[in-house]
Amino acid sequence: MSLAGKKILIGVCGGIAAYKIPLLVRLLKKNKAEVRVVMTASAIEFVSPLTLSVLSESKVLYEFQDEKHQWNNHVELGLWADVFLVAPATAKTISAMAHGYADNLLLTTYLSARCPVFVAPAMDLDMYSHLSTKKNLEKLAQFGNHIIESTEGELASGLVGKGRMEEPEKIFLSLQKFFENKERLKGKKILITAGPTHEKIDPVRFFGNHSTGKMGYAIAKVAADNGAEVKLISGPVHLKLEHKNIEIISVESALQMYDEVERNFDSCDVAIMTAAVADYRPEQVAAQKIKKEDELLNLKLIKNPDILKEMGKRKKHQLLIGFALETQNAVENAQKKLTKKNADLIVLNSLENQGAGFAHATNQVDFVTPEGVQHFDLKLKSEVAEDIINFIIENM
């Protein structure tokens, strides 16, 4: 796909990997993209603004005011771009982006940008593997940003490991793929459930499960990036996701989730049930806080509706995808669920696999379909989401 006419804004931070940016700008310009560059003050010590200005055929900005004391409008920059790429993204800038700091032109542009944002980290391996960096990158991904993972290799410190910024050719391909994907699900409506449900016991207590919603939110983002119109019905989670193609409907209980799914199911093309919905709820919810008096507290539980099964009964044109978290006889149980729920795909994951299941950034899944079982290795949940979206596109 040609990038002709695409407006690419590149934010360059102060790291040795900045030497690769002229190569990236040249690649983008050869493919007819419009390119503008904004830099941090420290970045100009690694690569010349004049070089980037000549290659991009546009003035490079790195201060709030130019030499004539004219204001460099960060809002205008953010509105101009179809994509904002921050590369190399240093640990300092990643932290500032994650926490909303705005003390330079690049950061104020980031906070003003309404377009998709790509982040290509570059730093030493200990910095890259530090928990604070991992959390900041995870937070940026939750904001809806695209993280271009660093690669392994020789670093400026002389150490060898992960932390190298991805090569310009690979970054170019990531941008190219993004623009290609934007059309793949255009006009399709996808319904997704995510997270746990909380079943009230009294005004202050509930029972639930350990689901964080990460998998469902990752799928919603990838679906929206591929052009789909997404309705995300979310149980109580601590995640945020902003995307013009995503409407988030917040619910608390299994009954509320069922009502919202039922209301939106007939109009969707694909339904993906990732939520960990409580199987049971208290028959009665106490009006006041239950006091700790007796040795035993007896609660009578009644069954919640089986959302996946009920949608399997009423589906017509929809592609229906369910999830199964198993602790034993995993494949056999998933195959039974596929038939019983009239689903087109069961995404199976097991708590027996290290790095899979609740709370992790990674997951290891098998796709169980009427045709058989497809095994996948452990990978990031964002990559699992891409596998699921690819399955949808192939089977629509």
PDB file of all heavy atoms in Angstrom, residues 8 29 47 90 139 168 178 192 218 231 369:
ATOM      1  N   ILE A   8       2.403  12.075   8.415  1.00  0.00           N
ATOM      2  CA  ILE A   8       3.133  11.403   9.486  1.00  0.00           C
ATOM      3  C   ILE A   8       3.913  12.443  10.285  1.00  0.00           C
ATOM      4  O   ILE A   8       4.784  13.128   9.746  1.00  0.00           O
ATOM      5  CB  ILE A   8       4.115  10.343   8.943  1.00  0.00           C
ATOM      6  CG1 ILE A   8       3.452   9.471   7.869  1.00  0.00           C
ATOM      7  CG2 ILE A   8       4.686   9.519  10.087  1.00  0.00           C
ATOM      8  CD1 ILE A   8       2.337   8.613   8.346  1.00  0.00           C
ATOM      9  N   LYS A  29       9.180   9.609   2.776  1.00  0.00           N
ATOM     10  CA  LYS A  29       9.084  10.571   1.680  1.00  0.00           C
ATOM     11  C   LYS A  29       9.141   9.864   0.322  1.00  0.00           C
ATOM     12  O   LYS A  29       8.437  10.261  -0.616  1.00  0.00           O
ATOM     13  CB  LYS A  29      10.207  11.608   1.788  1.00  0.00           C
ATOM     14  CG  LYS A  29      10.078  12.549   2.980  1.00  0.00           C
ATOM     15  CD  LYS A  29       8.822  13.417   2.908  1.00  0.00           C
ATOM     16  CE  LYS A  29       8.894  14.416   1.757  1.00  0.00           C
ATOM     17  NZ  LYS A  29       7.715  15.313   1.736  1.00  0.00           N
ATOM     18  N   VAL A  47      20.894  14.314  16.514  1.00  0.00           N
ATOM     19  CA  VAL A  47      20.637  14.405  15.077  1.00  0.00           C
ATOM     20  C   VAL A  47      20.290  15.857  14.756  1.00  0.00           C
ATOM     21  O   VAL A  47      19.590  16.524  15.519  1.00  0.00           O
ATOM     22  CB  VAL A  47      19.503  13.443  14.646  1.00  0.00           C
ATOM     23  CG1 VAL A  47      18.192  13.770  15.323  1.00  0.00           C
ATOM     24  CG2 VAL A  47      19.352  13.424  13.138  1.00  0.00           C
ATOM     25  N   THR A  90      12.414   7.637  24.646  1.00  0.00           N
ATOM     26  CA  THR A  90      13.274   7.351  25.790  1.00  0.00           C
ATOM     27  C   THR A  90      12.429   7.021  27.018  1.00  0.00           C
ATOM     28  O   THR A  90      11.224   7.290  27.062  1.00  0.00           O
ATOM     29  CB  THR A  90      14.154   8.562  26.104  1.00  0.00           C
ATOM     30  OG1 THR A  90      13.309   9.691  26.382  1.00  0.00           O
ATOM     31  CG2 THR A  90      15.064   8.901  24.932  1.00  0.00           C
ATOM     32  N   LYS A 139       0.638   1.228  30.417  1.00  0.00           N
ATOM     33  CA  LYS A 139      -0.342   2.305  30.558  1.00  0.00           C
ATOM     34  C   LYS A 139      -0.562   3.004  29.213  1.00  0.00           C
ATOM     35  O   LYS A 139      -1.706   3.306  28.848  1.00  0.00           O
ATOM     36  CB  LYS A 139       0.138   3.319  31.609  1.00  0.00           C
ATOM     37  CG  LYS A 139      -0.878   4.406  31.912  1.00  0.00           C
ATOM     38  CD  LYS A 139      -0.381   5.341  33.009  1.00  0.00           C
ATOM     39  CE  LYS A 139      -0.419   4.683  34.357  1.00  0.00           C
ATOM     40  NZ  LYS A 139      -0.171   5.663  35.446  1.00  0.00           N
ATOM     41  N   PRO A 168      14.322   1.215  10.976  1.00  0.00           N
ATOM     42  CA  PRO A 168      13.422   2.079  10.201  1.00  0.00           C
ATOM     43  C   PRO A 168      12.524   1.325   9.229  1.00  0.00           C
ATOM     44  O   PRO A 168      11.348   1.661   9.084  1.00  0.00           O
ATOM     45  CB  PRO A 168      14.389   3.005   9.458  1.00  0.00           C
ATOM     46  CG  PRO A 168      15.589   3.078  10.340  1.00  0.00           C
ATOM     47  CD  PRO A 168      15.712   1.714  10.953  1.00  0.00           C
ATOM     48  N   PHE A 178      -0.708  -0.518   9.431  1.00  0.00           N
ATOM     49  CA  PHE A 178      -1.778   0.179  10.149  1.00  0.00           C
ATOM     50  C   PHE A 178      -2.777   0.785   9.168  1.00  0.00           C
ATOM     51  O   PHE A 178      -3.986   0.640   9.332  1.00  0.00           O
ATOM     52  CB  PHE A 178      -1.177   1.267  11.035  1.00  0.00           C
ATOM     53  CG  PHE A 178      -2.196   2.224  11.574  1.00  0.00           C
ATOM     54  CD1 PHE A 178      -3.039   1.854  12.611  1.00  0.00           C
ATOM     55  CD2 PHE A 178      -2.337   3.498  11.023  1.00  0.00           C
ATOM     56  CE1 PHE A 178      -3.995   2.733  13.099  1.00  0.00           C
ATOM     57  CE2 PHE A 178      -3.287   4.376  11.508  1.00  0.00           C
ATOM     58  CZ  PHE A 178      -4.120   3.996  12.545  1.00  0.00           C
ATOM     59  N   ILE A 192     -18.356  -6.827  22.064  1.00  0.00           N
ATOM     60  CA  ILE A 192     -17.361  -7.501  22.903  1.00  0.00           C
ATOM     61  C   ILE A 192     -17.750  -7.335  24.370  1.00  0.00           C
ATOM     62  O   ILE A 192     -18.130  -6.238  24.795  1.00  0.00           O
ATOM     63  CB  ILE A 192     -15.950  -6.918  22.673  1.00  0.00           C
ATOM     64  CG1 ILE A 192     -15.546  -7.052  21.198  1.00  0.00           C
ATOM     65  CG2 ILE A 192     -14.921  -7.598  23.569  1.00  0.00           C
ATOM     66  CD1 ILE A 192     -14.251  -6.330  20.847  1.00  0.00           C
ATOM     67  N   ALA A 218      -7.987  -5.477  24.743  1.00  0.00           N
ATOM     68  CA  ALA A 218      -7.016  -5.607  23.651  1.00  0.00           C
ATOM     69  C   ALA A 218      -7.720  -5.953  22.337  1.00  0.00           C
ATOM     70  O   ALA A 218      -7.391  -5.397  21.284  1.00  0.00           O
ATOM     71  CB  ALA A 218      -5.981  -6.674  23.992  1.00  0.00           C
ATOM     72  N   LYS A 231     -18.731  -2.055  20.134  1.00  0.00           N
ATOM     73  CA  LYS A 231     -19.407  -1.815  21.405  1.00  0.00           C
ATOM     74  C   LYS A 231     -18.782  -2.751  22.426  1.00  0.00           C
ATOM     75  O   LYS A 231     -18.837  -3.975  22.276  1.00  0.00           O
ATOM     76  CB  LYS A 231     -20.914  -2.052  21.291  1.00  0.00           C
ATOM     77  CG  LYS A 231     -21.626  -0.946  20.538  1.00  0.00           C
ATOM     78  CD  LYS A 231     -23.130  -1.001  20.698  1.00  0.00           C
ATOM     79  CE  LYS A 231     -23.784   0.205  19.982  1.00  0.00           C
ATOM     80  NZ  LYS A 231     -25.253   0.196  20.127  1.00  0.00           N
ATOM     81  N   THR A 369     -12.285 -24.992  16.978  1.00  0.00           N
ATOM     82  CA  THR A 369     -13.351 -24.783  15.997  1.00  0.00           C
ATOM     83  C   THR A 369     -13.907 -26.149  15.594  1.00  0.00           C
ATOM     84  O   THR A 369     -13.322 -27.186  15.925  1.00  0.00           O
ATOM     85  CB  THR A 369     -12.827 -24.058  14.742  1.00  0.00           C
ATOM     86  OG1 THR A 369     -11.922 -24.934  14.048  1.00  0.00           O
ATOM     87  CG2 THR A 369     -12.108 -22.766  15.109  1.00  0.00           C
TER      88      THR A 369
END
